[in-house]
Amino acid sequence: MTMRDKPIILVVDDNPINLRVLVKNLQAEYDLLVSKNGNSALKNALKHLPDIILLDIMLPDMDGFSVCEALQQDEKTSSIPIIFISSVHDPVQKTRAFAAGGVDYVTKPFHQAEVMARVQTHLQLKTMREVLEQQKEVVSQQLTEKNRQLSTLMDNLFGIAYRSNTDAERTMQLMSVGTTPLTGYSVEHFTHSSGTSFMSVVLEKDRAELSRRIEEALSRKERFECEYRIVLKNGEHKWVREQGVGLYNDAGVAYAVEGFISDATKSKTQELGIRKENSALKKKMQAHYLENIVGDSEPMQNLYEMILKAAGTDDNVIVYGESGTGKELVSRAVHDHSTRINGNFVPVNCGAIPEHLFESEFFGHKKGAFTGAVANRRGYLEQADGGTLFLDELGEISQLGQIKLLRAIEGGGFTPVGGTGVVHVKPRIVAATNRDLMEMVTAGAMRSDFYYRIHVVPIYIPPLRDRKQDIPQLIEHFMRMFPKLDECSPITPEVMNAFVTYDWPGNIRELQNALHQYLHLGTLVLGGEQIISGCSSTRKDCIPQEPLEKALARFERQYIVDVLKHNAWRRMTTANTLQIDRKTLFRKMKQYDIVEG
């Protein structure tokens, strides 16, 4: 064999970017040849007999498998190690690469250290094979040194290079020092005659499948690759990826397995994390409640499923439901379980925006745009960029407003009032209404193009009268939310029967208010009819015996808490409802020690 100053590497790839990366990484230590197609690669290989070939699978004239098979069939090139390079991370593809005669498989994009390590590894292995072939007569004398070289080579790999028997317990003959960082055990723990078999650290649930995969590969004389869990010395679990191949005697019987075991915890955890999150979400939606949406009746299970499906897309959503059914809660659940959870959820009551303020509210304004515009203000659309814009009472938007809003959400952008530049945003629209939007389209009150832009994923919230079996759970839920009282009216069978038999035209909101009134005053009024009076309750005292000032303060505190909860603890909305300024609201919250919770 002619001695060379540097090993020659033939790089076969038609992608200029990949070529630049490979050449940059390798040219300092190796002499490089470059081919951009299969025919050129075959000619270069025969002419220069490179020490190793980096071979892309996708080539313009033939695939890498064909090139590899042609090189393997030629005696002059059959011993050249071929490392396949591909952007496809597919076990089938890898199996085909190894079957064609490849010695390794590197996935794009390249990691410099990985490419260098693998090239160095296979060059050293090639050198050792050549030396052994030339010195067969002294192989017994060289064996110890070659084992040392092989151990050094293996010990520099980030993982376990091994040789094992083919027994069911996977008794190890040889392992690299990477065993300790990966498992916590020493090499001798597995290789010593009194040591433990490697199968003993494989998680029991994964052993049968691992054995089956290895046995199947050996019977077919194929390489194998599989992922499984091992139990570390400290008791923790770790995912590993194993690639291996059988060694066979002249009779074709496998007598050993050689391979490499690497840490796959990070990639596997990411993969399983997505599955686990989806599974947990499905289980959560099959429970009695989702967030503050309560009920396990069939209509509610259907609702939870629709929330899950809507959250899994980025399409616009329209939530239909009667007043008081919880349309904003459903809309928030869609946002909270979507990929936009880290963005803003911006609720807008479309029925409370005067026509002359529409552009300023939705598109924002610049300082000085009109009287009172003392500073720049971002509109609802910009606030919801990357998040969710919740349009409550969608049917209240005028046709002119629909035209302006449609242009903005279709990508045309908008210009803030008093501004000159066009702003482009990407909010997700989740709208809610208790009206029949198609009837509005038919009547000409809503534009059809606006309707179809919003009406992509519909969600229908069942009214409370259609899921009365959820009422006991709702009562229990609200009682946990209400402040604890020293004495309150008990939920007797008579009371529960009244709640369950009533049709609740005001839905959840009416139920909450009626329950609150009953618990505090002992009076149950449903549909304007007094079902239970304060004096008929079993409370010790129908009316607390206390000074008027204290009673008023108690009522004021409770009323502020109720309104805050109803408005999801939004201070400005609560102040507007109470018709007081924010400072007064903050002062009273401090006075009554009211905190969100």
Side-chain angles (χ1 to χ4, degrees):
M1 182 180 69
T2 303
M3 298 300 295
R4 295 168 173 171
D5 294 334
K6 293 182 179 180
I8 297 176
I9 298 179
L10 171 58
V11 180
V12 187
D13 200 321
D14 64 333
N15 187 309
I17 296 177
N18 293 337
L19 286 174
R20 283 200 298 272
V21 173
L22 291 169
V23 169
K24 178 181 178 182
N25 291 338
L26 299 170
Q27 63 183 356
E29 297 184 35
Y30 308 104
D31 288 332
L32 300 183
L33 299 171
V34 174
S35 292
K36 296 183 180 180
N37 58 62
N39 284 316
S40 172
L42 293 173
K43 292 177 181 177
N44 262 332
L46 284 169
K47 181 178 180 181
H48 299 282
L49 297 179
D51 294 281
I52 196 166
I53 299 175
L54 298 179
L55 177 59
D56 190 14
I57 292 179
M58 302 300 295
L59 297 172
D61 54 349
M62 66 178 76
D63 62 34
F65 303 126
S66 300
V67 175
C68 182
E69 289 168 352
L71 292 172
Q72 291 288 304
Q73 292 170 6
D74 194 312
E75 184 178 353
K76 294 180 180 180
T77 56
S78 61
S79 63
I80 300 175
I82 298 175
I83 299 177
F84 279 93
I85 53 178
S86 174
S87 59
V88 179
H89 185 73
D90 182 0
V92 176
Q93 192 95 315
K94 291 183 180 180
T95 300
R96 187 178 175 188
F98 289 125
V103 298
D104 211 338
Y105 188 106
V106 180
T107 305
K108 305 174 186 177
F110 305 116
H111 296 284
Q112 180 177 352
E114 180 185 13
V115 173
M116 292 295 289
R118 295 198 185 196
V119 168
Q120 291 170 2
T121 296
H122 291 292
L123 282 173
Q124 291 181 39
L125 288 172
K126 178 176 181 291
T127 300
M128 286 191 289
R129 285 195 299 268
E130 291 172 348
V131 169
L132 288 173
E133 289 174 358
Q134 291 179 349
Q135 301 180 351
K136 289 182 180 179
E137 68 279 7
V138 293
V139 66
S140 60
Q141 300 174 10
Q142 296 291 327
L143 185 57
T144 302
E145 176 61 18
K146 298 316 174 221
N147 282 337
R148 186 194 65 79
Q149 293 177 7
L150 182 59
S151 296
T152 301
L153 174 64
M154 294 191 303
D155 293 345
N156 284 294
L157 297 175
F158 295 100
I160 304 174
Y162 72 88
R163 174 183 281 192
S164 74
N165 295 334
T166 57
D167 59 318
E169 293 302 313
R170 305 202 68 193
T171 304
M172 291 291 176
Q173 300 176 15
L174 176 69
M175 299 178 79
S176 65
V177 296
T179 301
T180 302
L182 191 62
T183 68
Y185 294 103
S186 66
V187 173
E188 293 73 19
H189 181 79
F190 298 106
T191 59
H192 195 273
S193 58
S194 61
T196 303
S197 68
F198 186 76
M199 189 63 82
S200 67
V201 300
V202 176
L203 192 67
E204 188 172 359
K205 293 180 180 178
D206 297 348
R207 293 176 188 173
E209 177 63 14
L210 175 60
S211 296
R212 185 191 67 79
R213 294 281 296 275
I214 295 176
E215 289 173 6
E216 186 176 282
L218 293 178
S219 66
R220 297 180 179 180
K221 294 184 172 56
E222 296 177 346
R223 292 178 178 268
F224 65 88
E225 179 175 350
C226 50
E227 293 178 329
Y228 54 90
R229 290 162 291 183
I230 61 174
V231 181
L232 309 185
K233 186 176 182 180
N234 62 10
E236 295 180 358
H237 294 177
K238 178 181 288 186
W239 279 97
V240 295
R241 180 179 295 110
E242 180 175 353
Q243 297 170 297
V245 62
L247 302 180
Y248 305 87
N249 59 24
D250 293 340
V253 178
Y255 63 86
V257 176
E258 289 184 347
F260 185 72
I261 302 172
S262 58
D263 190 345
T265 302
K266 184 176 181 180
S267 60
K268 197 66 178 180
T269 300
Q270 291 175 344
E271 174 190 339
L272 294 177
I274 297 173
R275 296 180 185 176
K276 184 176 181 181
E277 184 177 346
N278 289 339
S279 176
L281 186 56
K282 288 182 178 179
K283 288 181 180 179
K284 187 176 182 182
M285 288 191 166
Q286 291 171 355
H288 298 324
Y289 61 90
L290 171 67
E291 308 302 341
N292 287 321
I293 307 172
V294 179
D296 60 0
S297 61
E298 183 177 351
M300 292 305 292
Q301 294 300 323
N302 294 335
L303 174 63
Y304 299 155
E305 186 65 26
M306 281 306 303
I307 292 173
L308 175 62
K309 290 180 179 179
T313 73
D314 206 38
D315 296 324
N316 293 334
V317 176
I318 179 71
V319 180
Y320 289 101
E322 297 177 2
S323 295
T325 51
K327 294 186 287 294
E328 183 169 349
L329 286 178
V330 169
S331 301
R332 278 187 177 273
V334 171
H335 170 80
D336 289 344
H337 293 93
S338 73
T339 57
R340 292 175 175 260
I341 186 173
N342 293 322
N344 293 328
F345 179 86
V346 181
V348 179
N349 185 346
C350 299
I353 301 177
E355 185 65 37
H356 68 281
L357 293 179
F358 185 89
E359 290 190 51
S360 175
E361 291 296 309
F362 277 94
F363 306 149
H365 60 251
K366 296 296 182 180
K367 180 180 178 180
F370 49 82
T371 303
V374 296
N376 292 339
R377 177 187 175 277
R378 295 192 308 157
Y380 295 134
L381 281 168
E382 195 170 355
Q383 293 175 41
D385 187 22
T388 301
L389 180 64
F390 172 56
L391 301 179
D392 197 12
E393 298 185 30
L394 180 73
E396 302 302 319
I397 300 179
S398 68
Q399 287 210 13
L400 180 59
Q402 295 171 27
I403 295 173
K404 295 175 181 177
L405 192 57
L406 182 62
R407 182 178 183 275
I409 64 179
E410 284 191 330
F414 58 87
T415 301
V417 178
T420 55
V422 177
V423 178
H424 294 273
V425 295
K426 292 183 178 180
R428 182 196 196 177
I429 306 298
V430 177
T433 184
N434 58 5
R435 303 173 65 176
D436 188 326
L437 297 186
M438 181 50 73
E439 284 188 2
M440 293 183 63
V441 172
T442 304
M446 176 171 285
R447 295 174 56 90
S448 60
D449 52 359
F450 182 74
Y451 170 83
Y452 288 113
R453 190 68 178 83
I454 299 296
H455 196 283
V456 180
V457 180
I459 296 178
Y460 298 91
I461 305 178
L464 187 54
R465 62 181 173 274
D466 291 345
R467 58 183 190 100
K468 290 185 176 181
Q469 60 267 49
D470 293 330
I471 289 177
Q473 293 175 18
L474 285 163
I475 291 175
E476 181 182 357
H477 172 71
F478 288 132
M479 290 182 69
R480 287 197 301 267
M481 291 176 55
F482 292 150
K484 299 297 182 183
L485 299 177
D486 293 336
E487 293 184 0
C488 64
S489 301
I491 303 297
T492 63
E494 177 189 7
V495 172
M496 183 61 74
N497 182 66
F499 274 95
V500 172
T501 55
Y502 183 57
D503 274 345
W504 302 105
N507 293 291
I508 307 298
R509 187 180 299 121
E510 183 183 5
L511 170 64
Q512 186 176 4
N513 292 339
L515 178 63
H516 186 273
Q517 181 185 41
Y518 172 74
L519 292 175
H520 286 76
L521 303 178
T523 299
L524 182 59
V525 178
L526 301 177
E529 179 183 354
Q530 182 167 288
I531 307 299
I532 297 175
S533 67
C535 292
S536 64
S537 73
T538 59
R539 299 193 330 170
K540 294 179 179 179
D541 292 309
C542 297
I543 301 176
Q545 301 300 304
E546 59 186 357
L548 178 60
E549 181 180 359
K550 183 177 179 181
L552 290 174
R554 178 166 54 81
F555 173 79
E556 184 177 46
R557 182 190 188 282
Q558 186 58 49
Y559 187 68
I560 291 173
V561 169
D562 290 344
V563 176
L564 279 166
K565 287 182 177 179
H566 177 74
N567 291 319
W569 292 89
R570 296 192 293 274
R571 272 66 166 176
M572 177 59 78
T573 305
T574 300
N576 291 337
T577 301
L578 299 174
Q579 296 186 9
I580 59 177
D581 57 47
R582 283 195 303 169
K583 290 184 178 180
T584 302
L585 175 60
F586 292 156
R587 177 175 55 79
K588 289 184 177 292
M589 289 177 67
K590 183 176 181 180
Q591 173 187 347
Y592 294 130
D593 192 25
I594 299 174
V595 294
E596 183 175 354

